[in-house]
Amino acid sequence: MEGEAGGSSSVSSSPCSSCGGADGNGGGGVVEYLIGVIEKAGSYGGYRKTQRKECLNLARTLKLLVPLLEEIREARRAADSPAGDGLDAALVRLRQAVVAANKLLKQCHCGSKIYLVR
């Protein structure tokens, strides 16, 4: 799945200045990718008035995952080996959900007002 990762976390006054092209996965593992996508999603701001509360709640909820992901990353480093298939499968499903949430937040941040009415 493609998603957003990396990039600057500053938000400018122009609503679409941070909505450039898709950045690739920097070659790290799934956990690092997830943390990057969550940081990118948290950098969006200036949502439309009709979606502001929901978007801010979604961004806040995504940010709550970061400490858990950091613990998983540290546990994997300490064990010096990747965890079992169960964790990997769960991380892949989590990645799909986080990427979808990021796309939604980006659309609410950069999207057309007319498109949001549909």
Side-chain angles (χ1 to χ4, degrees), residues 34-53:
L34 284 168
I35 291 172
V37 171
I38 291 169
E39 288 173 355
K40 181 69 174 177
S43 71
Y44 297 133
Y47 301 110
R48 307 279 186 247
K49 187 176 181 180
T50 55
Q51 290 100 11
R52 185 173 298 135
K53 182 178 178 183

Side-chain angles (χ1 to χ4, degrees), residues 3-118:
E4 307 299 317
S8 83
S9 62
S10 65
V11 178
S12 70
S13 59
S14 173
C16 292
S17 63
S18 63
C19 300
D23 297 326
N25 186 352
V30 175
V31 174
E32 288 81 10
Y33 179 77
L34 284 168
I35 291 172
V37 171
I38 291 169
E39 288 173 355
K40 181 69 174 177
S43 71
Y44 297 133
Y47 301 110
R48 307 279 186 247
K49 187 176 181 180
T50 55
Q51 290 100 11
R52 185 173 298 135
K53 182 178 178 183
E54 291 81 9
C55 289
L56 292 174
N57 284 338
L58 179 57
R60 197 174 306 119
T61 302
L62 288 175
K63 288 180 184 179
L64 291 173
L65 292 173
V66 173
L68 173 67
L69 294 170
E70 290 172 346
E71 287 293 323
I72 292 171
R73 180 177 57 197
E74 293 304 316
R76 283 186 167 188
R77 284 184 188 158
D80 235 3
S81 67
D85 292 333
L87 178 60
D88 290 336
L91 287 173
V92 168
R93 288 191 305 269
L94 180 62
R95 178 182 178 197
Q96 292 171 346
V98 168
V99 167
N102 183 47
K103 287 180 182 179
L104 176 63
L105 290 172
K106 182 179 178 182
Q107 183 64 40
C108 289
H109 172 73
C110 300
S112 161
K113 290 180 184 179
I114 293 173
Y115 179 78
L116 294 174
V117 172
R118 294 194 319 156

